[in-house]
DNA sequence: CATGAATGAGTTTTCATTCAT
DNA sequence: AATGAATGAAAACTCATTCAT
């Protein structure tokens, strides 16, 4: 394996890692190509060499971030026999996952500000997102079959409820925290927040259908 | 009545209105002072005259936006005798409210990217946010007293669940919609989404305490 | 006497006083019309009304400052019978005068940066400057007649030596003080500096002609 | 030897040279970044690249100017055996030096208008200024030892007297020249002015102590 | 692959001055 | 005589990108 090649990979990876931080921190427009390069062992020129420019770098960051997240999600395994326990565990694990991936959530918020213009250009992302829903699907089916869950709720809706809660509690913690004078990141409060989403989903799913 | 004074107000207001649009559209860094001025009957110079600069203008936009939203919220009135009906109505009205104030939600997302640096500098916002929680408080108390609601849930948590759902469904609709191939803004889907948050909250609150 | 007229005078005088401070502080280019107006009870518009603009105001400031200084100088009276005592007294009084009129000296420095462009436009200044030399002339004549002073020194040269020393010690005190690590404005140092110029002039004048 | 590197030096040096002229001519506030760039083979952008901004450029100009002057001063050599001749020569050489460095003196005046704010930020300037005093110290000591000079005069005071005269005669020549109707730069006048400072210092130092 | 220098178009900000009343 | 609002030209500064080596 040519060592040059390896350096190239390393350079690319370093650029990507730093760019992820900077874009997550300052947004697309707020991020500075100069700053990204400066935090690296390489020079600005390499951004153009490897990624074609600022936009290409941002796209690469977004893609890499989604891939990393999906990878991490695959590690999530919720094989409780009891569907109620399973869905609560899934909610909690999702919660933890979001807390741990603050930078990713910021990138997603930024991408939404841009109306998803860049994410649409990334291939294969949709496929990678399927498993998230499939796991839920399976739990819901078991729950319904056991007469534990109401039968008018679809996996995508449950996923939406869980995602919304988990994302919001990280992404909007500054404004929400300020307005209601709570520190959303403080340990005790976090534990409480974590328990709430489980209660919400279980309470909802186990209530009688409308 | 001095007409001069009124022109000043008009200039200021126009600047603020246009700036709200532009900041919501492009973010703080992405917004261009030139563009804001160009969409106005005045010149760039007036931004500095009235707001001191780009940052001052952004701050004024944020403040004005929050004030407008709180004002609108005060119009929300949910006086159902039945607590269950009341909380569902509140969730749905909140949902509608968010759908209607897309620009505001974008501003809030932008402000969270900036870690709430500017919102903290605006006085009196916290006070204005209190009513939102108070309305819920009252409904919950009635629900608990009637033995309809579980008694281990606080108003702030309900508010969080509702807000998270309503905000997410607007703010993250581009990425979520893309990944799961749904148009979050399409009428039928919107109606469904609207009914879900009611189900979630009612199901949760009427389920047995943990 | 119409009161309006009096207010006008007061406004003009206030503008002039503030402008003197600001120009002396920041130089011609560095001074801000807005700042001058803001420190006044009137508005910017009055600067244009009374002085035609920034330049006119500066010219008025310069003229007024020179007039004030010449006025003050006329109060200087050195009628010692002894020419040696007289010239020393004059040097010391001049020293004190400069120390007291820091702002004026700054204005003169500023005007010299502008190569005296504005001072040349002020009429009658030359006439007002004559007395300064005349006083010296008289002392020198008495000193020469008494055989105390060398006879190859002219009043203008003595005036130059005294002025140079007195002005420099005020005007250049920041750079000179910094480079040689002394505080030129400290009381003890000031007293010493004051005595030096007397020694210099007396020593020079009483030394044998070349 | 990389020619690229040399271009960088050339660009920097050219910028500095032109900036020196422009700042000396128009003062800090009066100088225009655009004008400096225009007189150069590079663009305005390079000022920010190399000096960070207008202020950084001004600071660099000031530092460079002082260094150049001190360098030139080191060339001044006054090794007359006779202390009287030596001190007169020093005064005259200093006079010539000031006449030749008009731009530097203007910069110093400008810096004093700014109360020495920038000079204080330049390291090592104090050290570089020491030799000026040391040369005088040595001459004075020899003069006192030979019984030629009064023994109550310190080197710093002599330096002040000489500097004040030489600087004033250049820096304030416009106002002084106008008020007393003399052309301070005319050759005959210059020669006379030059002889005066020698007379002053020698007369002073050789006069009896107070 | 790598790098420091350079660039031009754009972006924010400032300022003396004038207008309408 | 006075005032707040408004202006346009100019000034400082920034940024993504490219060049020469």
């Amino acid at each position: 394996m040519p060592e040059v090649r390896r350096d190239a990979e390393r350079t690319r990876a370093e650029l990507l890692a730093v760019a992820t931080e900077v874009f997550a921190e300052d947004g697309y427009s707020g991020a500075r190509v100069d700053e990204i390069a400066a935090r690296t062992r390489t020079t600005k020129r390499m951004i153009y060499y490897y990624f074609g420019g600022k936009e290409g770098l941002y796209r690469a960051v977004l893609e890499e971030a989604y891939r990393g997240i999906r990878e991490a999600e695959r590690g999530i395994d919720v094989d409780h026999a009891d569907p109620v326990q399973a869905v609560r565990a899934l909610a909690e694990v999702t919660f933890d996952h979001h807390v741990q991936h603050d930078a990713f959530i910021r990138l997603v918020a930024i991408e939404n500000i841009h109306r998803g213009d860049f994410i649409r250009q990334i291939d294969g992302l949709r496929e990678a997102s399927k498993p998230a829903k499939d796991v839920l699907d399976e739990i819901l089916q078991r729950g319904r079959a056991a007469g534990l869950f109401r039968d008018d709720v679809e996996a995508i809706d449950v996923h939406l409820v869980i995602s919304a809660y988990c994302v919001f509690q990280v992404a909007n913690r500054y404004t929400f925290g300020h307005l209601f004078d709570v520190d959303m990141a403080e340990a005790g409060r976090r534990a409480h927040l974590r328990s709430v989403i489980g209660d919400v989903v279980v309470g909802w799913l186990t209530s009688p259908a409308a």
Side-chain angles (χ1 to χ4, degrees), chain A:
Chain A
M1 195 160 300
E3 217 195 321
V4 192
R5 179 64 204 261
R6 198 183 250 139
D7 282 359
E9 263 319 301
R10 199 189 294 157
T11 299
R12 227 191 94 98
E14 194 182 356
L15 234 16
L16 221 38
V18 170
T20 301
E21 277 182 42
V22 176
F23 279 123
E25 191 59 32
D26 303 324
Y28 178 73
S29 303
R32 297 292 164 241
V33 169
D34 273 301
E35 195 200 339
I36 293 169
R39 288 208 207 166
T40 286
R41 273 167 307 179
T42 27
T43 66
K44 213 170 10 167
R45 187 68 190 75
M46 290 300 96
I47 289 172
Y48 294 85
Y49 187 80
Y50 285 116
F51 304 98
K54 185 181 183 178
E55 192 180 313
L57 179 57
Y58 173 73
R59 238 179 344 236
V61 160
L62 205 61
E63 179 164 3
E64 183 75 6
Y66 264 106
R67 261 183 228 306
I69 280 291
R70 293 302 176 237
E71 187 85 13
E73 278 174 5
R74 259 188 288 153
I76 294 178
D77 204 8
V78 205
D79 55 358
H80 283 275
D82 177 13
V84 172
Q85 271 188 286
V87 81
R88 177 181 294 274
L90 185 68
E92 291 176 352
V93 155
T94 303
F95 183 92
D96 296 341
H97 191 245
H98 280 74
V99 166
Q100 284 155 34
H101 295 90
D102 180 278
F104 173 70
I105 290 172
R106 293 175 68 86
L107 282 174
V108 173
I110 289 161
E111 178 60 8
N112 276 292
I113 292 296
H114 291 268
R115 306 204 128 97
D117 288 344
F118 300 107
I119 202 186
R120 254 178 259 117
Q121 299 170 36
I122 303 173
D123 297 329
L125 229 45
R126 225 172 246 178
E127 296 311 306
S129 302
K130 292 230 165 89
K133 215 183 66 178
D134 295 344
V135 172
L136 255 170
D137 243 338
E138 186 268 338
I139 298 174
L140 287 184
Q141 275 171 30
R142 282 198 288 123
R144 287 189 214 112
L148 294 165
F149 289 168
R150 57 196 287 177
D151 59 5
D152 62 345
V153 175
E154 286 180 71
I156 180 109
D157 295 325
V158 181
H159 187 59
L160 173 61
V161 169
I162 295 176
S163 293
Y165 184 89
C166 294
V167 165
F168 184 90
Q169 155 274 340
V170 171
N172 287 48
R173 86 175 106 136
Y174 300 102
T175 54
F176 193 90
H178 173 72
L179 292 175
F180 298 100
D181 203 16
V182 291
D183 179 358
M184 311 283 282
E186 179 265 324
R189 166 67 50 176
R190 268 251 156 92
H192 173 70
L193 290 171
R194 187 179 192 266
S195 76
V196 164
I197 185 59
D199 289 358
V200 167
V201 176
V202 169
W204 172 36
L205 291 176
T206 59
S207 66

